[in-house]
Amino acid sequence: MRIVFMGTPEVAAFSLERLLQGPDPVIGVVTQPDRPSGRGQKTVPTPVRKVAEGHDIPVLAPEKIRDPSFLDVLKKWAPDLIVVVAYGRILPRHILELAPHGCLNVHYSLLPKYRGAAPVAWAIINGEKQSGVTTMRLVEKMDTGPIFLQRAIPLAEDETRVSLQGKLAPLGAELLVETIAGLKTGKMTPKDQNESEVSYAPILKKEDGLVDWKLTAAAIERRVRGLAPWPSAFTYLAGNLLKIHRARVVETATEAAPGEVVTADKEGLWIATGNGVLSLEQVQLENKKRMTAGEFLNGARVEKGTRL
């Protein structure tokens, strides 16, 4: 089966690497254009491009998905199947219908739960007990296509977006290979999604990181884990942005108002919430380096009763 692979970030590169170990030729790769990255704003290739070029596979990176010259090349490649993993754009119908076997997508949730761009983050933020991977046929409406295969895994109590993505990437790659094998035998029958069980995982925005101290300590702690490394949970201390990279729920009671510092000493930096107390374990003032709460308190004047 001749495959065209469309993907962009590290998790997609993992699936591409796995496909390249299989029996089916990857005849072309489509990825997002190279973008400036990091403090130096140096232009860097996408992880998928790096893998493709390392295997001498032709790469296309169109600025516009409807660019006629891009579509001409895609047609000349004549794929039997297009595999799409975190490509980053919605595909028009003429691409969805270009290959005889259509477009096969790997989605990092147990659809129909968490349709959308950030399923891993929202699963953690919402306190789900399990997550997983789905392979499905792409259709015009995002993440609504029929399901081929699914596999679930439990979430650890201290699961972060990075750790969960690290577990789902190899799981998705194996499920992808398994799905393709089933398609080749003609015995893979997709199943429609149950619309009564749909939930959504919208793309993350910077403002999602602003901590609402009226939430419970447990809910804020989950947001810290789900929003790292970007946009990160953050608050403001004396007008300065303070990122929270790691936090812990403290088993203690307080009558302090949400957002009020209840402890700022060798015990740590503890903040009252809408229900419970949250210890800020690792923080970072804007334009400063990341540090533990103890290191932070050694250089900052934070007193009990201060409001965040």
Side-chain angles (χ1 to χ4, degrees):
M1 185 177 287
R2 291 164 55 86
I3 296 173
V4 164
F5 185 89
M6 302 180 73
T8 299
E10 199 66 46
V11 66
F14 201 100
S15 285
L16 176 57
E17 287 272 20
R18 181 65 185 84
L19 275 184
L20 292 170
Q21 297 169 16
D24 302 296
V26 178
I27 56 173
V29 163
V30 182
T31 188
Q32 294 274 2
D34 300 342
R35 307 287 189 199
S37 179
R39 289 192 172 186
Q41 289 294 286
K42 183 180 178 182
T43 299
V44 295
T46 69
V48 163
R49 177 188 283 277
K50 288 181 184 177
V51 172
E53 291 182 343
H55 290 79
D56 296 324
I57 300 171
V59 176
L60 297 176
E63 287 285 351
K64 296 181 179 179
I65 196 68
R66 297 176 188 271
D67 184 336
S69 61
F70 160 66
L71 295 174
D72 284 346
V73 176
L74 200 58
K75 289 175 183 175
K76 287 177 182 174
W77 281 349
D80 298 308
L81 174 71
I82 297 176
V83 170
V84 184
V85 184
Y87 173 55
R89 288 178 181 168
I90 296 175
L91 303 183
R93 177 183 291 185
H94 52 270
I95 293 180
L96 296 175
E97 297 177 350
L98 190 146
H101 286 283
C103 290
L104 171 61
N105 177 236
V106 178
H107 186 81
Y108 297 97
S109 82
L110 299 172
L111 289 170
K113 296 190 73 172
Y114 296 104
R115 290 176 177 172
V120 175
W122 288 108
I124 294 171
I125 291 169
N126 291 337
E128 296 289 348
K129 300 301 181 187
Q130 68 172 9
S131 181
V133 178
T134 300
T135 56
M136 66 165 181
R137 176 174 292 151
L138 279 183
V139 297
E140 283 190 278
K141 190 175 179 182
M142 189 171 70
D143 298 336
T144 62
I147 293 170
F148 289 111
L149 294 174
Q150 289 187 310
R151 201 142 296 157
I153 60 170
L155 265 68
E157 290 187 358
D158 60 348
E159 202 79 77
T160 65
R161 198 160 101 227
V162 172
S163 67
L164 181 54
Q165 194 69 72
K167 296 173 184 176
L168 295 178
L171 188 66
E174 291 305 318
L175 209 63
L176 172 63
V177 170
E178 194 176 327
T179 304
I180 292 172
L183 289 173
K184 289 166 65 176
T185 65
K187 296 179 180 178
M188 185 69 69
T189 303
K191 181 179 68 175
D192 287 340
Q193 297 187 32
N194 185 343
E195 293 297 318
S196 69
E197 297 178 355
V198 170
S199 63
Y200 294 96
I203 191 169
L204 295 175
K205 305 182 293 296
K206 183 177 180 181
E207 52 265 38
D208 290 322
L210 180 60
V211 173
D212 178 358
W213 292 105
K214 295 186 181 68
L215 296 176
T216 67
I220 297 171
E221 191 271 342
R222 292 198 303 268
R223 293 186 78 87
V224 170
R225 289 188 280 116
L227 294 173
W230 190 94
S232 291
F234 64 89
T235 187
Y236 288 94
L237 174 63
N240 298 308
L241 189 146
L242 180 71
K243 289 185 177 180
I244 306 167
H245 293 296
R246 196 170 68 237
R248 174 175 60 89
V249 176
V250 180
E251 298 297 332
T252 187
T254 180
E255 295 183 356
E260 186 174 325
V261 174
V262 295
T263 297
D265 54 26
K266 62 181 181 181
E267 293 292 329
L269 180 55
W270 295 3
I271 315 296
T273 72
N275 186 359
V277 173
L278 193 71
S279 171
L280 309 190
E281 303 280 287
Q282 195 174 74
V283 297
Q284 182 179 18
L285 268 178
E286 197 167 20
N287 299 320
K288 302 290 184 181
K289 68 177 183 179
R290 183 184 302 204
M291 59 186 72
T292 65
E295 293 169 336
F296 175 71
L297 290 172
N298 282 337
R301 181 172 294 178
V302 182
E303 298 178 348
K304 182 178 179 180
T306 300
R307 293 293 294 269
L308 301 181

